[in-house]
Amino acid sequence: MEWANQLCENRQFGSKMTDSKYFTTTKKGEIFELKAELNSDKKEKKKEAVKKVIASMTVGKDVSALFPDVVNCMQTDNLELKKLVYLYLMNYAKSQPDMAIMAVNTFVKDCEDANPLIRALAVRTMGCIRVDKITEYLCEPLRKCLKDEDPYVRKTAAVCVAKLHDINAQLVEDQGFLDTLKDLISDSNPMVVANAVAALSEIAESHPNSNLLDLNPQSINKLLTALNECTEWGQIFILDCLANYTPRDDRESQSICERVTPRLSHANSAVVLSAVKVLMKFMEMLPKDLDYYSTLLKKLAPPLVTLLSAEPELQYVALRNINLIVQKRPEILKHEMKVFFVKYNDPIYVKLEKLDIMIRLASQANIAQVLAELKEYATEVDVDFVRKAVRAIGRCAIKVEQSAERCVSTLLDLIQTKVNYVVQEAIVVIKDIFRKYPNKYESVIATLCENLDSLDEPEARAAMIWIVGEYAERIDNADELLESFLEGFHDESTQVQLQLLTAIVKLFLKKPTETQELVQQVLSLATQDSDNPDLRDRGYIYWRLLSTDPVAAKEVVLAEKPLISEETDLIEPTLLEELICHIGTLASVYHKPPSAFVEGSRGVMHKRLPARTGSGESTESPDVGTAAGGSAPEAAPSIIPSQGDLLGDLLNLDMAPPTTSGPPPPTTGMQMGGMDLLGGGLDSLLGGDIGGSPAMGAGFGAAPAVMPASLNAPVGGGLGDLFDLGGVGMPMGAYIPPKIVWLPAMKAKGLEISGTFARRAGVIQMELILTNKAMSVMTDFAIQFNRNSFGLAPAGPLQVLTPLGPNQTIEVSLPLSTVGPVMKMDPLNNLQVAVKNNIDVFYFSCQYPISMLFVEDGKMERQVFLATWKDIPNDNESQFQIKDCHLNSDAASSKLQGSNIFTIAKRTVEGQDMLYMSIKLSNGIWVLAELRVQAGNSNYTISLKCRAPEVSQCVFQCYEAVLKN
Amino acid sequence: MIGGLFIYNHKGEVLISRVYRDDIGRNAVDAFRVNVIHARQQVRSPVTNIARTSFFHVKRSNIWLAAVTKQNVNAAMVFEFLYKMCDVMAAYFGKVSEENIKNNFVLIYELLDEILDFGYPQNSETGALKTFITQQGIKGQTKEEQSQITSQVTGQIGWRREGIKYRRNELFLDVLESVNLLMSPQGQVLSAHVSGRVVMKSYLSGMPECKFGMNDKIVIDKAGKGGVTDEVGKSTSGKQSIAIDDCTFNQCVRLSKFDSERSISFIPPDGEYELMRYRTTKDIILPFRVIPLVREVGRTKLEVKVVIKSNFKPSLLAQKIEVRIPTPLNTSGVQVICMKGKAKYKASENAIVWKIKRMAGMKESQISAEIELLPTNDKKKWARPPISMNFEVPFAPSGLKVRYLKVFESKLNYSDHDVVKWVRYIGRSGIYETRC
């Protein structure tokens, strides 16, 4: 550290100006010198020495060796020196806990000092010394300070409770500090109230269910009064706390809003944003036809716009939040487009965010202005920004239909600039425009083709290839163009390879005569020479399709594609709701829930917007007489699926029965086509039956020998499903209870239903056997569930495609989702089901093993397990006995693993094996278990710990069922 | 909450490091240095997440201030706090520079201990802080003084202490506006707004109650309708009222009173402070109009002609006028001719800078330049940044007028009439750009 040596000479400025001399180089023996100085009799010298020590500490040098000497300087009436010593203590006490005790006496004494500043200083510092032994001594002084006559001491003590809680939560509870802290909410001094609120909020966060803050109309009133009087920071604490409150009705909600709105004029942006959070949240409860509701909407716009004249960092935070607000309530800022125009010297992070919001606000009314701006931006310097601007033009075209033509011509202008990355970005978005407005703008293809050579990014190449394939019949030299890409096939990225394969197959189907050679070439490249399983599989599918049934191939490959949706990259609604509850915080900046970036238990709590009161909730009774289609979870605003999903869809396309979402299946009876493809087609290939279709020529017959191997190889996910038709199932090792009769025929006019539940490859399935014991044919089956504890709901309609004749039986498996409405049932795993057919509606209830809700990623980290185990109060622990079980611990562990009960650690104590296990339920509840197995004893003991102890009984039943089967 | 706060110099050496929470370790200091200060590319976000730790930073000249946390903190609050921290430091020792920080590191630690407790910002009004955080020590305080300090730090009026006395009660009121414009080459206003500040210096005795009034449209319309003002008042002020889009106030202003009655009342801090900020977008007086004409002559020459017109009362004078005309990166030489002021080509800034000391209203002036270009094979077109302008005018471009500022102090015997008041209007250019 050579800096500031020279400053030593500046003595003439007086001692105050020359603190930087303490930052001088370390010499050998410096520690020794310092030691001597610290023990000097002269006060000034002592102080100088402590300053040097602090400076060394700052730059990261280890000066812990001086601990006793520095602590010796503590007893002084010089406040400046005292503060320095305290600073040192806070840093090193933890590394020298025994020595730190030496300081305790001084602290205790200082807490009784006549000067309130010293009392506060002592209690503040003590809380920062994280040494258990000191903590014990802290309790008494802290108790006194919490009731000190001076508000300055009280406000400091309030924060100290939070500090202590962080070190030793149990101690804080035992000593009753929480109650004292709650009392401080009624303190006469607003700053004490604010700090007490801050401390309680923090403590409450680590006890999600403790109801510590116990917000009720009286306490809310106190907070709102303090809000008017305390510092800007205090206002933030109070507003953030208010945001967690759920008013009882719309009237209370309105009255709180009225008292919060003046905060929108505060100079501190954080106060404004926190007020916006409270208003956005409570607004949910106001009836929309209320005058006040529209007044409030109007009041929100100006402060949000004002935030944009703050410093750039705050603008960034504001813009990230406005992005959320615009998605939730677009009406607030719809007339404010202009303020989001980018300024030339905005920092890049502000520019990018503004651009995002501009697109969200774009509408027919302002599109001309927006486009003019975007065109301007596309000529800027920053590459990311330019790309985003180009992309934005494409998004405008898709969003505002009337502007599409203008957008396309703007994009063409940009392509003419020949700036490489502009051209590539433009081509990517033009592909999307083609998908939104098919057969409308093909005239531009010629221009695009001119730029073929300059494309070097995979995404742009893939987009271009897609365009050529899609419009192959109108491009005379499409085959040449695609062939040119084929030369370097193996050097292309997967994205391009897949696109090229599809495009050439499309071309072949459109112009079969000239392109046979090309298609053979690409199929063999994809299947024989590639080691990418996705590519190979897609190659094989095409190959078989083409060789068995070219007509079907045409219908599959050239099927009409669904139009892409208007709004891309919207935040998923439930996440958006949660983020609205976190306005102003980091979560709103990252656009991620806190659990995604906060460690430990703090982030677990999910915040929700309150429900509007008065609006008729759906009825409680199993009102399922209506058509089954209605039971599907509400269709979320469609979002363009990512690449992975698309691939998944592609593979599921042929297998899955028609679902409400996803691309429409080919029109030829899908059962036939789909089954044949994988059954017959496969057999014929394996059997060497080279029944190539006449159009194909013999070339296709030579099926490569590697194929069977690759097909039999275990493939996960979507590919797994491919071979998992109609619930045949791959052995997953999960426990599946035997089928039992749920609905006897007598009760259901001849329909008998039996079934069970299973979890296969991460999908919960209800497996049903429907038997018609009546005399007439049954048709039009549908199923619906009543609300239940874990939100189980059918993920699709019940697939009974053919009428069920008398004495016929059909096996159906119904995939279930866990996103349905939730209501606690008794017993917890009870499920009420309604089944409808052409005759009547029938109700029955059944119980599912909770094990099917155990998710695959339920394996907890060891550390987290330990911390969580400790964190869950002992009251939540329950113990059970499992009798007559003859497995050893390893066998039990592996058996349980099959049902997603994961063993995290094993310990053997005195011949007794202790297995520690974790389970995660589909709704995010964790269950921790300790299983004790004694050799030679067939009785197991199991202890379960969970934040929601209600589930323990069900979990225990699962253990029993799994271990005994 | 905030877990730690670090201050670095431009090289990334730590000048100040204060850790408030256990989850922030010493390695956080290095993580920020390596990933942000020493990062090769330009800063892409003021918030950085490194290994589940979030870093918030602001830069003042070449000093980096970084706040660190592992929790879901209120991000807006963290930035507001960092700015406040800079203000407090500036109030204590002037410019926030490496030298000043090293010279005052003990003081900074003391301040950080006071204004940030366990990561929670506490009272950070310099007026209050200066009463008890000094480098002289506070040994000599009496008991009364001590309790006065604590009650001020925690009190409802944390920004003003009791017992202030002046022989002469005086008030200085500055209306400072910055007018922002973005204009298309054809002279169409793409966006324009004024962001204004009312800055006050008050030297008043006791605990005075002040009331500030301006020609706010809402207030004047309300008064007009209610029939409170007479005909004369209506005709003089009716037309000149201005529509304020939004305003924010210093924490001394009673917000609930503004919300209900739209009246601005407060007990002022002592000395200088910013009373309010506001923003207007309607009926803005644009003091200057810039008319650009750029012509490309072949591939190696550009001809630029820029006319500026002043648009305000001829009796007023604009000052410090500067027009900045960007030039392409491959400029090899420039010839300029201007009627008024001085113009220079500054190669390092890629711009022609034209300066005029003074200019009266309703005048116009012109500059023409010939720019020689080096032939390049760069395919990328020149981005043509906008022409920007700086100036200062002695009026408020928003049209804001101060109507009154009343002072009431019931306990001391001075009245509103005894207070000497000064009002001044200054309009400056904010981002005042015309595309070319």
Side-chain angles (χ1 to χ4, degrees):
Chain A
M1 302 285 147
E2 68 286 332
W3 27 274
N5 264 333
Q6 72 277 18
L7 280 163
C8 295
E9 283 116 56
N10 297 355
R11 275 256 118 151
Q12 67 264 34
F13 293 115
S15 73
K16 206 185 147 197
M17 285 300 289
T18 55
D19 278 357
S20 64
K21 69 173 181 288
Y22 304 114
F23 285 89
T24 47
T25 345
T26 339
K27 285 165 285 200
K28 265 202 168 167
E30 192 205 25
I31 297 278
F32 186 76
E33 262 174 48
L34 279 173
K35 210 177 177 84
E37 284 176 45
L38 284 170
N39 292 313
S40 155
D41 299 332
K42 292 197 186 98
K43 267 191 184 163
E44 260 319 292
K45 206 156 190 187
K46 248 188 192 176
K47 195 161 132 188
E48 300 282 288
V50 178
K51 281 188 182 180
K52 278 186 206 164
V53 172
I54 301 286
S56 304
M57 194 174 86
T58 298
V59 297
K61 273 183 253 170
D62 183 17
V63 282
S64 57
L66 295 167
F67 199 91
D69 309 280
V70 177
V71 171
N72 270 339
C73 304
M74 195 172 165
Q75 273 187 348
T76 168
D77 47 1
N78 182 321
L79 198 61
E80 194 193 357
L81 178 58
K82 196 177 263 270
K83 283 183 179 173
L84 287 172
V85 176
Y86 281 0
L87 192 64
Y88 179 90
L89 267 176
M90 285 187 259
N91 255 304
Y92 286 114
K94 217 178 165 187
S95 58
Q96 312 233 347
D98 296 327
M99 301 259 228
I101 295 294
M102 290 162 56
V104 164
N105 264 336
T106 322
F107 278 125
V108 175
K109 218 176 91 198
D110 279 359
C111 283
E112 315 240 316
D113 197 281
N115 186 341
L117 293 172
I118 292 187
R119 292 202 296 276
L121 178 67
V123 79
R124 185 165 67 212
T125 313
M126 256 177 118
C128 295
I129 297 180
R130 306 176 58 96
V131 175
D132 278 342
K133 285 178 195 160
I134 291 211
T135 323
E136 290 164 25
Y137 292 98
L138 175 61
C139 292
E140 275 322 297
L142 177 59
R143 197 186 313 283
K144 263 184 219 156
C145 288
L146 279 168
K147 298 199 166 135
D148 201 282
E149 51 172 18
D150 195 295
Y152 183 76
V153 182
R154 290 202 301 276
K155 72 116 187 164
T156 312
V159 175
C160 190
V161 177
K163 292 179 188 169
L164 190 59
H165 185 270
D166 198 33
I167 306 170
N168 189 342
Q170 198 58 46
L171 187 70
V172 170
E173 277 168 46
D174 296 347
Q175 295 277 331
F177 286 137
L178 293 182
D179 293 323
T180 325
L181 201 53
K182 278 189 209 164
D183 293 343
L184 288 184
I185 288 195
S186 317
D187 200 278
S188 58
N189 184 295
M191 205 156 152
V192 178
V193 178
N195 276 2
V197 167
L200 277 172
S201 301
E202 178 166 341
I203 295 171
E205 243 177 69
S206 47
H207 296 278
N209 303 319
S210 62
N211 200 19
L212 239 186
L213 265 162
D214 185 31
L215 295 173
N216 53 49
Q218 287 78 36
S219 59
I220 290 292
N221 197 31
K222 280 177 200 155
L223 292 185
L224 286 168
T225 312
L227 184 63
N228 283 323
E229 292 163 351
C230 65
T231 64
E232 46 195 331
W233 313 115
Q235 296 185 17
I236 299 169
F237 306 153
I238 292 178
L239 287 168
D240 284 351
C241 170
L242 272 179
N244 290 327
Y245 176 63
T246 311
R248 286 166 310 171
D249 52 25
D250 49 337
R251 275 181 45 213
E252 190 187 3
S253 173
Q254 178 175 347
S255 85
I256 296 176
C257 286
E258 278 166 358
R259 291 176 70 178
V260 167
T261 35
R263 298 299 120 198
L264 294 175
S265 310
H266 202 287
N268 187 315
S269 310
V271 175
V272 175
L273 267 178
S274 291
V276 169
K277 165 164 57 190
V278 175
L279 296 175
M280 282 291 288
K281 205 178 160 191
F282 288 11
M283 244 168 117
E284 287 291 307
M285 296 188 64
L286 299 177
K288 279 206 166 112
D289 46 359
L290 196 70
D291 283 346
Y292 182 70
Y293 179 83
S294 44
T295 319
L296 200 54
L297 275 183
K298 275 190 208 117
K299 276 192 176 171
L300 277 169
L304 288 173
V305 174
T306 298
L307 291 175
L308 298 184
S309 44
E311 288 85 344
E313 291 87 2
L314 269 174
Q315 274 187 52
Y316 175 72
V317 174
L319 285 165
R320 294 292 283 173
N321 279 287
I322 289 173
N323 200 328
L324 299 173
I325 293 168
V326 164
Q327 288 184 56
K328 180 77 191 154
R329 296 189 180 278
E331 63 270 35
I332 295 178
L333 288 165
K334 66 177 173 203
H335 298 303
E336 304 287 351
M337 171 62 92
K338 275 189 179 180
V339 299
F340 297 104
F341 284 178
V342 168
K343 291 181 194 139
Y344 185 70
N345 44 3
D346 278 335
I348 182 67
Y349 48 82
V350 169
K351 283 184 177 174
L352 292 172
E353 292 308 315
K354 282 186 172 174
L355 197 51
D356 240 3
I357 294 169
M358 277 174 69
I359 305 163
R360 296 208 193 284
L361 292 176
S363 67
Q364 202 183 338
N366 56 24
I367 193 74
Q369 272 183 324
V370 174
L371 267 183
E373 281 293 309
L374 291 176
K375 201 175 169 185
E376 198 72 39
Y377 304 160
T379 60
E380 282 228 27
V381 194
D382 190 287
V383 178
D384 283 353
F385 181 59
V386 171
R387 282 174 178 275
K388 200 163 184 177
V390 175
R391 204 157 271 220
I393 297 175
R395 276 169 67 183
C396 286
I398 291 165
K399 193 174 174 194
V400 186
E401 195 161 349
Q402 294 80 355
S403 75
E405 196 150 355
R406 215 171 337 168
C407 294
V408 171
S409 77
T410 310
L411 286 169
L412 285 179
D413 286 352
L414 290 172
I415 289 177
Q416 297 303 346
T417 63
K418 302 281 179 196
V419 179
N420 191 284
Y421 54 84
V422 175
V423 174
Q424 310 210 33
E425 206 65 48
I427 287 182
V428 172
V429 297
I430 286 181
K431 183 202 79 179
D432 287 343
I433 295 177
F434 281 169
R435 285 208 58 189
K436 169 79 183 180
Y437 311 106
N439 306 321
K440 214 168 164 192
Y441 297 107
E442 294 82 70
S443 52
V444 309
I445 293 177
T447 321
L448 301 184
C449 290
E450 285 165 24
N451 292 287
L452 215 59
D453 300 333
S454 63
L455 307 179
D456 52 12
E457 290 162 18
E459 205 183 350
R461 287 175 83 85
M464 191 66 221
I465 293 169
W466 183 87
I467 293 171
V468 174
E470 190 67 18
Y471 295 96
E473 69 274 29
R474 306 186 202 194
I475 306 172
D476 294 335
N477 60 342
D479 49 345
E480 284 169 37
L481 293 176
L482 292 176
E483 201 169 357
S484 70
F485 282 104
L486 208 53
E487 280 161 23
F489 189 77
H490 289 298
D491 302 326
E492 300 282 3
S493 71
T494 314
Q495 193 183 10
V496 180
Q497 290 176 332
L498 286 167
Q499 211 50 267
L500 196 54
L501 174 61
T502 308
I504 293 179
V505 172
K506 280 182 192 166
L507 173 71
F508 172 74
L509 290 167
K510 287 175 179 174
K511 301 180 183 173
T513 44
E514 310 122 65
T515 53
Q516 263 193 44
E517 211 171 303
L518 193 61
V519 81
Q520 275 176 12
Q521 204 181 338
V522 78
L523 285 176
S524 83
L525 279 172
T527 53
Q528 282 173 310
D529 302 341
S530 167
D531 44 13
N532 180 326
D534 286 351
L535 185 65
R536 262 198 333 249
D537 289 347
R538 197 188 281 195
Y540 284 128
I541 290 176
Y542 284 140
W543 198 320
R544 265 178 269 135
L545 257 177
L546 292 173
S547 56
T548 32
D549 187 354
V551 181
K554 213 161 185 167
E555 271 158 8
V556 171
V557 180
L558 302 181
E560 205 169 297
K561 275 160 266 323
L563 297 185
I564 57 173
S565 62
E566 293 187 3
E567 283 284 353
T568 52
D569 73 8
L570 280 176
I571 294 177
E572 194 251 326
T574 47
L575 177 60
L576 181 62
E577 288 211 350
E578 190 179 352
L579 292 179
I580 289 287
C581 301
H582 287 292
I583 284 179
T585 69
L586 258 182
S588 73
V589 174
Y590 292 147
H591 289 185
K592 284 179 190 162
S595 52
F597 59 91
V598 176
E599 280 168 5
S601 57
R602 284 182 198 279
V604 174
M605 224 182 346
H606 281 281
K607 294 192 180 175
R608 277 287 170 87
L609 288 177
R612 200 176 300 279
T613 50
S615 74
E617 283 284 327
S618 57
T619 43
E620 299 260 327
S621 64
D623 175 22
V624 260
T626 47
S631 74
E634 255 183 67
S638 50
I639 292 164
I640 295 186
S642 66
Q643 193 75 25
D645 296 341
L646 276 175
L647 192 63
D649 280 350
L650 179 81
L651 291 165
N652 288 333
L653 185 76
D654 316 76
M655 258 59 66
T659 47
T660 42
S661 64
T667 35
T668 27
M670 47 88 22
Q671 302 113 297
M672 211 202 84
M675 298 297 271
D676 235 75
L677 178 82
L678 290 153
L682 188 64
D683 284 344
S684 65
L685 277 170
L686 290 174
D689 175 8
I690 320 166
S693 71
M696 311 294 287
F700 279 104
V706 288
M707 211 166 83
S710 81
L711 280 175
N712 289 338
V715 250
L719 284 169
D721 287 347
L722 189 75
F723 304 102
D724 183 10
L725 281 166
V728 182
M730 296 207 288
M732 287 295 292
Y735 163 68
I736 299 165
K739 288 194 173 74
I740 52 168
V741 175
W742 283 332
L743 183 69
M746 286 162 59
K747 281 192 177 174
K749 301 186 180 163
L751 175 67
E752 186 187 83
I753 300 178
S754 59
T756 186
F757 293 90
R759 185 182 183 89
R760 296 183 201 278
V763 180
I764 304 169
Q765 283 174 333
M766 186 180 197
E767 298 182 355
L768 299 156
I769 298 178
L770 307 178
T771 312
N772 183 355
K773 296 197 170 169
M775 301 302 287
S776 58
V777 177
M778 291 179 180
T779 56
D780 301 332
F781 285 95
I783 192 163
Q784 202 164 39
F785 294 172
N786 192 15
R787 295 203 266 174
N788 53 71
S789 316
F790 292 96
L792 282 174
L798 188 64
Q799 291 302 322
V800 185
L801 296 167
T802 46
L804 196 58
N807 276 327
Q808 254 188 330
T809 294
I810 187 170
E811 282 197 35
V812 198
S813 100
L814 177 73
L816 306 183
S817 70
T818 52
V819 293
V822 175
M823 183 171 78
K824 198 176 160 185
M825 302 293 290
D826 191 22
L828 209 60
N829 55 348
N830 196 21
L831 181 67
Q832 297 176 336
V833 184
V835 171
K836 178 195 117 151
N837 62 11
N838 57 333
I839 299 166
D840 205 342
V841 182
F842 312 105
Y843 302 106
F844 64 89
S845 67
C846 53
Q847 291 182 9
Y848 47 87
I850 204 168
S851 63
M852 69 177 194
L853 298 167
F854 298 173
V855 295
E856 277 67 23
D857 62 343
K859 188 156 185 169
M860 220 179 215
E861 292 285 341
R862 270 168 186 243
Q863 249 64 27
V864 183
F865 183 91
L866 273 175
T868 317
W869 184 272
K870 276 190 203 151
D871 210 338
I872 299 176
N874 287 333
D875 295 350
N876 285 9
E877 185 172 349
S878 28
Q879 258 196 14
F880 304 95
Q881 291 278 334
I882 302 174
K883 293 203 172 95
D884 294 314
C885 192
H886 299 284
L887 294 165
N888 67 15
S889 59
D890 287 337
S893 162
S894 68
K895 204 160 189 184
L896 291 166
Q897 174 116 15
S899 296
N900 292 337
I901 301 172
F902 298 95
T903 305
I904 288 166
K906 182 181 160 182
R907 207 152 59 111
T908 309
V909 183
E910 299 170 355
Q912 188 172 285
D913 285 339
M914 323 257 265
L915 296 174
Y916 294 93
M917 308 188 209
S918 73
I919 299 164
K920 188 181 170 192
L921 296 182
S922 55
N923 59 354
I925 292 181
W926 284 93
V927 183
L928 309 183
E930 183 199 55
L931 185 67
R932 263 173 271 166
V933 182
Q934 188 130 32
N937 186 346
S938 63
N939 291 352
Y940 292 2
T941 313
I942 180 159
S943 309
L944 294 171
K945 250 189 166 184
C946 176
R947 287 218 163 77
E950 304 90 315
V951 302
S952 297
Q953 181 66 35
C954 291
V955 172
F956 160 64
Q957 286 167 4
C958 285
Y959 264 94
E960 199 160 42
V962 171
L963 288 172
K964 290 191 177 174
N965 283 285
Chain B
M1 280 306 116
I2 298 174
L5 199 138
F6 309 125
I7 303 181
Y8 301 84
N9 65 9
H10 67 288
K11 287 188 244 167
E13 292 165 336
V14 202
L15 305 179
I16 298 286
S17 110
R18 175 76 158 92
V19 173
Y20 293 94
R21 300 258 171 162
D22 235 21
D23 52 3
I24 302 300
R26 183 83 199 175
N27 52 0
V29 184
D30 303 323
F32 182 75
R33 175 184 23 246
V34 172
N35 288 292
V36 181
I37 302 183
H38 291 172
R40 294 240 175 81
Q41 51 167 180
Q42 185 195 359
V43 173
R44 301 306 272 195
S45 160
V47 186
T48 324
N49 193 311
I50 308 164
R52 286 173 98 80
T53 310
S54 301
F55 294 82
F56 299 76
H57 74 265
V58 301
K59 240 186 130 180
R60 285 287 183 272
S61 61
N62 48 23
I63 295 295
W64 298 75
L65 271 85
V68 194
T69 183
K70 283 207 164 181
Q71 298 172 23
N72 182 30
V73 295
N74 188 322
M77 184 187 81
V78 176
F79 280 122
E80 283 283 2
F81 178 78
L82 289 175
Y83 300 140
K84 193 77 183 192
M85 181 69 206
C86 293
D87 291 349
V88 171
M89 287 195 288
Y92 267 94
F93 51 75
K95 194 171 173 270
V96 178
S97 66
E98 179 170 356
E99 196 181 319
N100 280 342
I101 288 173
K102 282 186 187 165
N103 279 333
N104 292 285
F105 82 97
V106 173
L107 171 72
I108 296 175
Y109 277 124
E110 208 174 318
L111 285 170
L112 278 176
D113 199 38
E114 183 60 44
I115 62 179
L116 201 56
D117 190 4
F118 200 44
Y120 289 104
Q122 304 291 307
N123 192 341
S124 46
E125 287 302 307
T126 38
L129 289 173
K130 278 188 170 171
T131 58
F132 69 106
I133 296 192
T134 61
Q135 284 297 278
Q136 270 74 52
I138 48 162
K139 246 164 75 183
Q141 284 160 347
T142 64
K143 204 155 184 201
E144 288 75 55
E145 276 170 334
Q146 285 165 5
S147 73
Q148 205 183 351
I149 288 170
T150 59
S151 77
Q152 197 202 332
V153 177
T154 59
Q156 294 178 22
I157 306 166
W159 54 86
R160 190 181 180 91
R161 63 192 167 90
E162 303 247 6
I164 297 172
K165 276 204 184 78
Y166 287 101
R167 261 223 324 249
R168 196 164 120 109
N169 288 299
E170 231 174 346
L171 256 180
F172 298 86
L173 216 155
D174 284 348
V175 176
L176 306 173
E177 294 195 339
S178 84
V179 48
N180 298 277
L181 170 73
L182 185 63
M183 197 177 247
S184 75
Q186 291 75 34
Q188 190 193 357
V189 176
L190 296 173
S191 74
H193 75 271
V194 167
S195 53
R197 309 189 298 142
V198 178
V199 174
M200 253 181 179
K201 270 182 224 161
S202 65
Y203 302 104
L204 301 170
S205 310
M207 284 298 227
E209 176 76 42
C210 297
K211 211 170 167 189
F212 174 69
M214 53 189 178
N215 57 341
D216 176 1
K217 194 160 186 270
I218 296 175
V219 177
I220 287 175
D221 287 357
K222 218 201 291 178
K225 266 182 216 148
V228 179
T229 45
D230 55 4
E231 281 302 304
V232 187
K234 207 174 172 184
S235 62
T236 51
S237 56
K239 247 202 165 163
Q240 289 169 356
S241 62
I242 61 160
I244 293 176
D245 287 27
D246 188 36
C247 42
T248 60
F249 295 99
N250 184 288
Q251 61 168 324
C252 66
V253 175
R254 296 186 183 88
L255 292 180
S256 41
K257 207 152 182 192
F258 177 76
D259 194 56
S260 56
E261 304 162 25
R262 220 171 159 87
S263 77
I264 303 166
S265 62
F266 56 98
I267 294 172
D270 194 40
E272 188 172 339
Y273 59 95
E274 185 181 287
L275 177 68
M276 70 178 282
R277 280 179 187 229
Y278 56 91
R279 189 166 48 81
T280 72
T281 47
K282 288 202 187 71
D283 303 322
I284 293 170
I285 309 158
L286 296 170
F288 285 95
R289 163 92 205 271
V290 177
I291 304 152
L293 201 75
V294 180
R295 211 160 64 93
E296 287 179 38
V297 188
R299 297 200 51 180
T300 54
K301 207 168 138 189
L302 273 181
E303 278 182 10
V304 181
K305 198 173 104 180
V306 177
V307 180
I308 58 167
K309 286 184 180 170
S310 59
N311 175 35
F312 44 88
K313 271 192 235 158
S315 57
L316 298 173
L317 274 181
Q319 292 184 40
K320 300 177 191 166
I321 301 148
E322 186 186 292
V323 181
R324 183 171 285 263
I325 306 160
T327 55
L329 297 171
N330 55 336
T331 302
S332 60
V334 176
Q335 271 111 46
V336 272
I337 313 159
C338 56
M339 289 155 48
K340 224 175 165 239
K342 281 180 192 160
K344 240 189 204 167
Y345 166 61
K346 294 197 173 168
S348 59
E349 295 165 38
N350 287 313
I352 300 166
V353 180
W354 176 26
K355 287 183 177 168
I356 305 170
K357 280 202 180 118
R358 264 176 228 98
M359 190 167 169
M362 308 315 271
K363 288 264 170 36
E364 96 174 45
S365 191
Q366 186 186 325
I367 184 172
S368 44
E370 273 187 26
I371 302 170
E372 311 263 340
L373 302 176
L374 289 171
T376 55
N377 47 8
D378 197 1
K379 264 194 194 166
K380 217 168 120 184
K381 245 179 70 188
W382 176 46
R384 279 207 191 185
I387 295 175
S388 59
M389 216 189 149
N390 287 313
F391 53 79
E392 198 178 293
V393 289
F395 59 89
S398 69
L400 182 130
K401 290 266 171 0
V402 175
R403 285 170 62 222
Y404 56 80
L405 184 92
K406 291 178 195 151
V407 181
F408 310 93
E409 167 54 280
S410 48
K411 284 181 198 149
L412 301 174
N413 54 348
Y414 71 92
S415 74
D416 187 39
H417 298 290
D418 304 327
V419 181
V420 187
K421 298 168 191 167
W422 307 85
V423 180
R424 178 164 72 155
Y425 298 90
I426 301 173
R428 291 198 183 99
S429 51
I431 293 162
Y432 204 84
E433 295 178 337
T434 307
R435 289 184 178 154
C436 58

